[in-house]
Amino acid sequence: MDEPGQLTEFGKILLIGVMGVLLVLVTLLLGKIISPKNPTPEKLTTYECGEEPVGSSWIAFNPRFYVIALVFLLFDVEMIFIFPWATIFGRPELIAVDARWGWFTLAEMAIFIGILVIGLIYVWKKGDLEWVKSHAVLPRVNVNIPKSAYEKLNREPYPVRKFEPFATEPQKGNTSQNTENQIKRPAFKPLLRKPGGTSS
């Protein structure tokens, strides 16, 4: 019969958690009691990597920081899986029972890490890990228009004219009147479609 005072494995984890919380609280309490109290405006400002804060904190945040954080989180979680794997399957007792355990666990972890590395290489090749992309990728569309037609259009000079929303038209009967007396008509004729689908 087992002794009732014996700790289970969950009890050990609970004890470690309680001790961790107590150590943090005791450290903060000692810092509050022992540290000198001499507040100044410089000491009370927000500290951010040694830089003085300027302006409001409600600003647009660069989304590239999230990419760096996601890559870090991905490989941080990977390390959390690797440590228990190494401690459990690296025991000599398991290897002594069956030597295939070592090769099986090695292949299993190689597949796990390989999937993550393939994803990292894919993102790296796309240039998503670069802070500033060195070159812009222009979209390409396959069309049957020859390239010489585009070059001809680009070489032709196009005069810039003043935009006038209404084109003027002289009145009938007297073309020598002042432009103020001329009738203005729209520069385009709008097409009004009826519910039946025909245009007026």
Side-chain angles (χ1 to χ4, degrees), residues 131-145:
W131 190 256
V132 177
K133 293 191 176 183
S134 56
H135 60 280
V137 179
L138 298 177
R140 296 176 180 267
V141 180
N142 294 326
V143 294
N144 295 327
I145 301 172

Side-chain angles (χ1 to χ4, degrees), residues 141-156 158:
V141 180
N142 294 326
V143 294
N144 295 327
I145 301 172
K147 191 176 180 180
S148 58
Y150 288 109
E151 293 176 353
K152 181 181 176 183
L153 287 173
N154 291 332
R155 283 195 302 267
E156 290 183 3
Y158 293 96

Side-chain angles (χ1 to χ4, degrees), residues 158-169:
Y158 293 96
V160 179
R161 296 180 295 179
K162 182 180 178 183
F163 174 73
E164 294 181 1
F166 292 97
T168 57
E169 181 179 81

